[in-house]
Amino acid sequence: QVQPVESGGGLVQAGGSLKLSCAASTISFNIRRMHWFRQAPGKQRELVASIDVSGRTNYADSMKGRFTISRDNDKKTLYLQINSLKPEDTAVYYCNTDGAAWRWGQGTQVTVSS
């Protein structure tokens, strides 16, 4: 069963940027719509952004243009660029495909200090 590996998080000051990565070593990566999720302490997991097999993207309205999702099919890797980080962005960030069909990875922790 596929379990993606998220990386790239860290501790940053408000206003900074991070680029998260999600590596999924599966032949099916190129034919799967992919999503980034995040879960803040005490809150439900929420959808951040999506990208389909053709590279079309969608973002949750609350992300307000600070997030950019992309994919590299050759590397079987999903990316999330986050700019102008806010303390409210503090969360564990996860990736998965439609229907959460893959095992959840450990996620990558993003902590934004003010």
Side-chain angles (χ1 to χ4, degrees), residues 40-44:
K43 301 185 69 175
Q44 290 277 85

Side-chain angles (χ1 to χ4, degrees), residues 86-100:
K86 303 176 180 180
E88 308 91 83
D89 296 322
T90 295
V92 180
Y93 286 72
Y94 303 90
C95 64
N96 214 318
T97 191
D98 281 354

Side-chain angles (χ1 to χ4, degrees), residues 6-81:
E6 299 93 346
S7 62
L11 174 63
V12 298
Q13 290 183 300
S17 298
L18 284 173
K19 189 171 185 178
L20 312 183
S21 297
C22 165
S25 299
T26 173
I27 193 172
S28 69
F29 179 85
N30 295 0
I31 59 172
R32 303 293 299 182
R33 183 162 60 191
M34 297 295 299
H35 315 277
W36 280 102
F37 303 86
R38 70 183 185 185
Q39 187 168 22
K43 301 185 69 175
Q44 290 277 85
R45 182 176 59 238
E46 64 176 339
L47 179 66
V48 173
S50 303
I51 185 167
D52 70 11
V53 296
S54 298
R56 290 184 289 266
T57 59
N58 284 286
Y59 300 91
D61 290 340
S62 60
M63 302 306 143
K64 300 184 183 300
R66 298 183 297 111
F67 294 77
T68 302
I69 188 172
S70 61
R71 67 193 297 163
D72 186 330
N73 288 338
D74 290 336
K75 298 180 179 179
K76 301 187 186 304
T77 302
L78 182 73
Y79 302 100
L80 183 68
Q81 177 73 40

